[in-house]
Amino acid sequence: MEYALSAAQADEVLRALSRDFTVCAPKRFPKAGRYSDTDIVRYDRVEKFSDIVWETKSDYPAKEAVSPIQQTLFYFTEDEFRESKGPKKPILLFARPCDIHAQRIQAKIYAGNGGFEDFYYTRVRNLVKFAMMECGVGDDTCFCVSMGTNRTEDCSMAVKFSAEGMQVQLKEEAFLPYFQGMPETSYTPAFVEENVLKVEPPDLSDEGVYQALKKHPMWKEFDSRCTSCGSCTVACSTCTCFTTRDVLYGDNAEVGERRRVAASCQVAGFDQMAGQRELRSTPGDRMRYKVLHKFHDYKARFGESHMCVGCGRCIHRCPEFISIAETVRKMSAAVQEIQEEQSRAQAGAGVQP
């Protein structure tokens, strides 16, 4: 069923949905941006049509509604501990196709990696229903078409917003009662067919090429460019790294709570081991690790798509204007250079390629 709702009718439907769901969508927070006079758009609970920011991409991804930056795992005293409580209501999450694909990738990490299922993630994820937000043409940092994440059918409803209201296509009959009496229409969601920005990850199936790329001097550029702030990974739709932190209550070290806190492989000290040794001690080493993880390691591990969904938020949030799309282009050029060097070496040794 398809419906065409005015802004007032959309408010009515959202109020009805909010009685049974925690409705989350991109929301504007005035004067909370990077600078004192800028806003930020991030996911939060919404209750009316005007709360939802649909004209522009959110600064932070939809994953905040499922795996927040800080999450209490359990409370403890000297004698016992108690798990934190999960959500009381199901979550209806308004998300773009790339963010819905990102949740599929996150589930691979949290709920399917090595046969281990993360209880704190799955208890939330199992309550999530998606309302797919029609994306239009994206923006100049998006490359979802290149990553194959511009389309999805994994949603309970599809929604197209406009200044006048919204069009809705329902895919689950369970949502029909919330739209009872609303004007019907004919609506088929559209998807982005082409991005201005295009990315073509190189083929790294050759182990020799892969190992040579890890040592290529292209990564040295980031030693002077990247500040290791971690902004890119906080804004990433698919990053899952975290640490844990104990928060003590008062002066009693035996009473408090343990929190899961988002962490970043781009921050110095992330991989520090006993003896203060770091496996990746420079910004270039850390950038290499992140980029190869997004465009090789995940796919090699799970045998499906790359980990990056092309949302472009890391490009938008980087204070040094580092573009992951441009980095992949440089990586492709480095691979071609390596392959040509290997061909010359083989020819000089009289080896047939």
Side-chain angles (χ1 to χ4, degrees), residues 238-296:
T238 60
C239 279
T240 56
C241 290
F242 64 85
T243 186
T244 56
R245 182 177 301 162
D246 286 348
V247 179
L248 305 178
Y249 299 160
D251 297 328
N252 188 347
E254 303 293 332
V255 180
E257 64 186 74
R258 176 159 294 177
R259 294 179 183 175
R260 170 153 62 193
V261 183
S264 172
C265 64
Q266 298 303 285
V267 174
F270 171 80
D271 61 349
Q272 191 175 76
M273 302 184 296
Q276 309 305 303
R277 184 190 174 208
E278 290 184 61
L279 297 176
R280 297 175 289 275
S281 59
T282 68
D285 290 340
R286 293 189 282 271
M287 183 64 71
R288 180 197 66 221
Y289 173 78
K290 181 190 76 171
V291 174
L292 290 179
H293 190 63
K294 299 293 183 185
F295 292 96
H296 174 265

Side-chain angles (χ1 to χ4, degrees), residues 12-71:
E12 185 179 338
V13 168
L14 286 172
R15 281 195 297 270
L17 287 167
S18 295
R19 288 194 287 267
D20 299 318
F21 292 85
T22 298
V23 182
C24 292
K27 186 175 181 179
R28 186 176 303 279
F29 291 81
K31 309 301 181 184
R34 177 176 290 159
Y35 307 107
S36 60
D37 61 343
T38 58
D39 302 341
I40 199 97
V41 178
R42 50 179 289 269
Y43 272 78
D44 199 22
R45 185 170 183 171
V46 295
E47 296 181 344
K48 57 184 184 294
F49 175 75
S50 60
D51 285 341
I52 301 174
V53 176
W54 51 270
E55 308 97 321
T56 184
K57 180 171 61 183
S58 62
D59 295 291
Y60 292 103
K63 74 177 183 182
E64 281 194 305
V66 184
S67 50
I69 290 176
Q70 290 198 59
Q71 180 182 25

Side-chain angles (χ1 to χ4, degrees), residues 17 29 32 43 63-64 73 83 104 128 130 159 197 210 226 259 265 274 289 322 344 348:
L17 287 167
F29 291 81
Y43 272 78
K63 74 177 183 182
E64 281 194 305
L73 303 181
E83 289 178 349
R104 174 183 53 81
V128 173
F130 290 112
V159 182
L197 188 59
Y210 177 58
C226 178
R259 294 179 183 175
C265 64
Y289 173 78
I322 295 172
R344 286 194 296 269

Side-chain angles (χ1 to χ4, degrees), residues 191-213:
F191 298 98
V192 177
E193 298 296 339
E194 185 177 12
N195 300 127
V196 174
L197 188 59
K198 296 176 175 60
V199 173
E200 187 174 350
D203 179 7
L204 298 176
S205 57
D206 186 301
E207 184 65 19
V209 172
Y210 177 58
Q211 293 301 329
L213 177 62

Side-chain angles (χ1 to χ4, degrees), residues 115-135:
F116 174 76
E117 184 173 286
D118 187 301
F119 165 76
Y120 297 99
Y121 171 81
T122 56
R123 72 176 181 181
V124 179
R125 178 63 184 86
N126 290 340
L127 293 175
V128 173
K129 299 282 189 179
F130 290 112
M132 191 276 291
M133 300 171 65
E134 186 177 307
C135 215

